[in-house]
Structures are given as C-alpha cells and as structure tokens.
C-alpha cells in the first residue's frame, strides 16, 4: 500500500491545490494532505481551520485524509511506512525552492523521495496569497477556490 503525503500551508486551499490532490488520489492507494506549520509565514487561518477547509473540499475523495503536523516533515514521513512526498510545481519559481527542500529532506532521511506533479495550465498563476490579496480588497475570487469554502474566506479577509 503506497501512501502519498501532500504537504503545504493551504492558507487557504485553492483549486490549484485541489487539482494536485485529486490527481495524486488517482495514482496512490492513500493520500494524506498534511497541513504543516511554516515558521516563515504568518497565516490568515489557524492550522485547524485550514485542515477543516481541506476536509470539506475532499469529503468525496474516499482515499484522502487530512492531518496537521507541527514538526519536521521528514519525522512525519518516517512514521508512515511506504510513503512518498508529492508536491505541485507551478513555474520555474517553485522549482528552485522545491528542489532544495526535496534534497534537504533526502539528506535528512535517505529513504524520502519527493515526486512532482506539474500544475494544470489553468492554475499556473494561482496561489493562496493571490486569493488572499483579491479577497482582502473585496474582489471576485470565486473561480480560484472551491465553492464550499468561498464564504469563509470572504468573511475572514474582506475588509
Ligand atoms: P508551501 O507553504 O509549501 O508553499 P502551499 O500551500 O503554498 O505550500 O502549497 C502546497 C503545495 O501545493 C506546494 O507543493 C505548491 O507548489 C503546490 N501548489 C500551490 N498552488 C498550486 C497550483 N496553483 N498548482 C499546482 N500546485 C500548486
């Protein structure tokens, strides 16, 4: 049984993330979407709120579960046998950072592999921070996020 771990901030989850999660769910027996704490970022939603939004938007995907981890990704991976990390890649800008992270994780835990799925073209420029920027100025961000969580994002961010 192969498990894919999809880590990220998901602050909040976008249709770009969901596309990667759905495609990963078709490739692996089990997928864990993991909300990790990135100390370099100040989130708009708590880790539990982000996990709750992820649970809402993945409720129809039977082999997908959501977890929160406040620690090093490699330690989480170590606890889950036969697992690989799966990440989405947008443009070259993601590549430099993700390549470095994948090599660091492999250096720390020799058995860790990271697989990359290229984004679908329509989500190439989509990021959580762009959604937050649009929402905070009252713009229409409905085509970028799952409909079920739209109002929660608007209520939190719209000034
Ligand atoms: P991070 O804090 O690692 O940047 P994010 O929540 O931004 O985490 O993203 C989690 C994962 O989803 C990362 O691998 C990121 O590259 C990927 N991702 C984010 N937005 C998109 C998108 N629009 N298309 C494909 N992958 C994406």
């Amino acid at each position: 049984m192969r498990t894919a771990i999809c880590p990220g901030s998901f602050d909040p989850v976008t249709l770009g993330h969901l596309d990667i999660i759905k495609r990963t769910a078709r490739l692996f027996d089990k997928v864990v979407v993991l909300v990790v704490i990135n100390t370099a970022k100040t989130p708009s939603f708590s880790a539990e709120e982000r996990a709750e939004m992820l649970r809402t938007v993945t409720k129809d995907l039977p082999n997908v579960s959501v977890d929160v981890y406040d620690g090093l990704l490699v330690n989480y991976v170590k606890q889950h046998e036969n697992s690989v990390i799966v990440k989405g890649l947008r443009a070259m800008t993601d590549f430099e950072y993700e390549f470095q992270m994948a090599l660091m994780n492999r250096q720390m835990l020799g058995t860790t592999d990271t697989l990359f799925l290229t984004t679908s073209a329509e989500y190439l420029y989509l990021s959580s921070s762009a959604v937050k920027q649009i929402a905070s100025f009252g713009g229409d961000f409905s085509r970028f996020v799952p409909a079920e969580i739209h109002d929660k994002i608007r209520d939190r961010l719209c000034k």
Side-chain angles (χ1 to χ4, degrees):
M1 176 112 135
R2 295 295 287 181
T3 302
I5 298 172
C6 294
S9 306
F10 305 106
D11 186 45
V13 56
T14 67
L15 288 176
H17 293 127
L18 191 57
D19 174 62
I20 296 288
I21 294 166
K22 283 181 176 167
R23 286 161 57 199
T24 306
R26 287 202 290 270
L27 294 170
F28 286 84
D29 304 307
K30 208 175 140 211
V31 179
V32 180
V33 184
L34 188 66
V35 176
V36 286
I37 313 298
N38 184 340
T39 49
K41 291 181 180 178
T42 311
S44 301
F45 296 92
S46 72
E48 204 33 62
E49 284 175 319
R50 285 178 264 156
E52 213 36 63
M53 287 189 274
L54 280 162
R55 286 187 193 106
T56 302
V57 304
T58 58
K59 64 178 185 311
D60 295 330
L61 302 170
N63 60 337
V64 175
S65 62
V66 178
D67 203 0
V68 177
Y69 190 60
D70 185 6
L72 277 179
L73 180 58
V74 285
N75 289 336
Y76 189 92
V77 172
K78 222 189 284 183
Q79 292 161 20
H80 293 74
E81 258 180 70
N82 275 329
S83 62
V84 295
I85 300 167
V86 175
K87 301 218 78 179
L89 269 189
R90 282 160 292 188
M92 286 304 283
T93 43
D94 274 346
F95 181 79
E96 189 71 40
Y97 173 77
E98 296 292 355
F99 191 63
Q100 193 182 349
M101 288 292 288
L103 287 175
M104 286 281 284
N105 285 335
R106 211 169 149 68
Q107 185 85 20
M108 285 191 282
L109 183 66
T111 51
T112 317
D113 270 311
T114 304
L115 301 181
F116 294 102
L117 290 182
T118 42
T119 183
S120 299
E122 64 265 45
Y123 303 129
L124 187 58
Y125 297 103
L126 180 52
S127 66
S128 298
S129 47
V131 166
K132 288 192 280 188
Q133 184 89 345
I134 298 167
S136 67
F137 290 108
D140 179 6
F141 59 95
S142 55
R143 84 192 80 145
F144 305 127
V145 301
E148 308 96 291
I149 62 167
H150 176 277
D151 290 359
K152 186 174 173 65
I153 300 169
R154 185 200 55 204
D155 295 348
R156 172 67 50 89
L157 294 168
C158 188
K159 289 172 196 154

